[in-house]
Amino acid sequence: MSKGENTLLSLEAALERIRQGKPKRIPTHRKLSVRAVEEEANLGNGSGYYYPEFVEKVKQTKAEIAAGKGEITQPEIQTVRTKLKEQKRIKENFKAKYEAEREKLALFAASQHHLNDKLVKALSRIDDLEYENANLKTELTELKRNKIVSIK
């Protein structure tokens, strides 16, 4: 037997052990894939892909296992589309939340600006009143000084 035949035999034996649920080198809960079969057969990464018919056999076995568990196997493109729709939904959800928070921030900034404007006006009015108060005090002082009469 050649090396290639030995490799194919070890891959098929590993696949059969996985199919029966009695793998030696990988956990039983691991998903079936060509890489999982390669690890079970104690072969290098990618060695199973030299045998396209074996890759098809793994895919077929995976579909059979899924059908046996009552799972529906979807074509890969359908799975990708489903994931894409989910990602779009999540992105739109985050975008809506972002826009809502952005509007809140704009309202907060506007009210902050409005309050700041009122504060500046109030401080200006206080300065004007303090200036007027100071002028009135000096005027009152002058009037009181004019009423003073000397005693002789």
Side-chain angles (χ1 to χ4, degrees), residues 39-54:
E39 287 181 19
E40 177 63 23
N42 202 21
L43 295 172
N45 190 5
S47 56
Y49 289 101
Y50 286 105
Y51 309 98
E53 64 280 350
F54 175 74

Side-chain angles (χ1 to χ4, degrees), residues 96-112:
K97 287 180 182 178
Y98 171 77
E99 290 298 326
E101 294 301 319
R102 190 172 174 190
E103 288 175 14
K104 285 182 189 177
L105 181 62
L107 289 173
F108 179 73
S111 67
Q112 192 73 12

Side-chain angles (χ1 to χ4, degrees), residues 4 14 19 21 23 33-34 46 54 56 68-70 81 91 108-109 113 134:
R19 181 186 297 164
S33 65
V34 177
F54 175 74
E56 286 302 316
K69 291 182 181 177
R81 284 183 181 155
K91 184 178 179 181
F108 179 73
H113 180 69

